[in-house]
Amino acid sequence: MGFRPLHDRVLVRRVEADEKTSGGIIIPDTAKEKPQEGEVVAVGEGKYRDDGSRQPLDVKAGDRVLFGKYSGSEVKIDDEELLIMREDEILGIIQRAAAGKKGGK
């Protein structure tokens, strides 16, 4: 894909939610809400500060993030539906625990 967001904008691919509940009930497409979780595809170079330097972004390509229900603008790039949003619309980065680690000290 040949797209790079400008400034503090981030390109996000929604992560599709499971089609079944934990009880095994299949959820039809019409009843599903759009997921509020996504994977960062590309990021801009950062916002300009008052002194002219750039403020780098906290997120990077590959991060799993949570964002608000009505965040971003939906765009279609290379037949794929993506979201473009400002970094401040991202609520947080999901950090998965390492599979080998159990418990703590």
Side-chain angles (χ1 to χ4, degrees):
M1 174 183 319
F3 182 84
R4 183 178 53 97
L6 296 176
H7 306 295
D8 64 334
R9 289 184 177 80
V10 178
L11 187 66
V12 176
R13 176 185 300 118
R14 286 187 194 269
V15 176
E16 292 303 318
D18 292 335
E19 294 184 12
K20 277 190 200 176
T21 64
S22 58
I25 298 171
I26 297 174
I27 303 168
D29 287 340
T30 55
K32 284 188 211 175
E33 286 190 20
K34 290 188 177 180
Q36 294 173 302
E37 183 178 333
E39 179 183 353
V40 176
V41 176
V43 298
E45 293 182 4
K47 188 187 288 189
Y48 281 105
R49 295 181 182 149
D50 290 337
D51 65 4
S53 65
R54 282 206 188 246
Q55 169 72 41
L57 300 182
D58 291 329
V59 297
K60 62 187 179 307
D63 283 348
R64 282 292 266 267
V65 295
L66 288 177
F67 48 87
K69 190 177 244 181
Y70 302 106
S71 297
S73 299
E74 292 183 356
V75 295
K76 198 168 194 175
I77 301 173
D78 295 337
D79 293 326
E80 184 176 16
E81 290 195 17
L82 302 165
L83 288 170
I84 295 178
M85 63 183 72
R86 291 191 178 276
E87 185 187 37
D88 60 4
E89 292 181 273
I90 294 174
L91 304 175
I93 300 171
I94 299 171
Q95 297 177 338
R96 306 271 186 223
K101 289 185 177 179
K102 290 191 178 181
K105 288 188 176 187

